[in-house]
Amino acid sequence: MKQKKIFGPCAAAVIGLLLVCMTVASVSAENGLHAVAINGGSLLINEDGGIDCTASADTYAGSYIPGVTYQIDVDCEYRDYNEVVGQTAQFRLEGPDGSVATKSIFDVPLINNNWKGKLSVPFTPASPGSYHWEITCSEGSESASARGDLILV
C-alpha cells in the first residue's frame, strides 16, 4: 500500500519562511534595531487657580536582552487658563545616558496655549542593571520632579 506525502512544497515554503523570520529577528536584536517602548511617567502643569506642577515616574522591570533599545516616553500636558501670563512652562526628560528631551511653552496673554504631547529618549543598556531617568516640569517658581527606573536582570 502506498502512503501519501503529508508534507509538500507548501509545507517546505512555510518552514523556510519561519527560519528566515527567526534569523531576521535575531539579527535585528543584535544590530540594535529592536525597540521596546516604556511608559516613563507623566508631567502636568495646570494653571487653574494658580500654577500647579505634577510629576509622576514609572518603573519598568524585565530581562536584559543585548542590543535592545528602550524608548522612554513621558506624557506631558500644559493646561492654560490665562490666570498666569508671561511665564514659560518647561518640560524635561533626562535619560539614563544623559540624553535630554525638552519642551518649552511661553504663555502668551489672552491666547489658549494648551498643549499635550510626549517627550522621548532612546536608551540601549550595555549590561543588566538598574538605570534611572529624571523628569521635571516647571513654570515660574513652581516645579516638580520624579525619577523613573529601568531594572534589567
Side-chain angles (χ1 to χ4, degrees):
M1 182 170 161
K2 221 177 191 184
Q3 289 185 333
K4 288 187 176 183
K5 289 184 179 180
I6 296 174
F7 299 106
C10 289
V14 169
I15 291 171
L17 183 59
L18 287 172
L19 291 173
V20 168
C21 289
M22 289 172 31
T23 302
V24 169
S26 64
V27 168
S28 294
E30 289 172 350
N31 292 331
L33 300 176
H34 188 83
V36 174
I38 294 177
N39 180 0
S42 63
L43 295 168
L44 170 65
I45 298 175
N46 187 353
E47 288 187 353
D48 187 16
I51 300 173
D52 183 36
C53 296
T54 306
S56 174
D58 289 335
T59 297
Y60 177 89
S63 297
Y64 171 73
I65 301 170
V68 170
T69 297
Y70 294 87
Q71 184 72 29
I72 302 167
D73 297 326
V74 176
D75 293 319
C76 302
E77 183 176 2
Y78 177 59
R79 296 180 188 163
D80 181 20
Y81 290 94
N82 283 315
E83 292 188 26
V84 178
V85 293
Q87 303 276 351
T88 300
Q90 297 183 343
F91 299 92
R92 185 174 197 272
L93 162 62
E94 182 176 346
D97 61 356
S99 58
V100 175
T102 61
K103 172 71 175 176
S104 296
I105 302 165
F106 181 72
D107 189 358
V108 179
L110 305 176
I111 294 177
N112 183 336
N113 295 291
N114 286 344
W115 175 77
K116 280 187 180 183
K118 277 190 191 305
L119 296 180
S120 297
V121 295
F123 173 65
T124 306
S127 63
S130 294
Y131 301 93
H132 314 286
W133 63 89
E134 298 286 332
I135 60 175
T136 58
C137 60
S138 64
E139 185 178 13
S141 63
E142 296 297 315
S143 66
S145 63
R147 183 176 101 162
D149 302 300
L150 172 62
I151 303 167
L152 301 172
V153 291

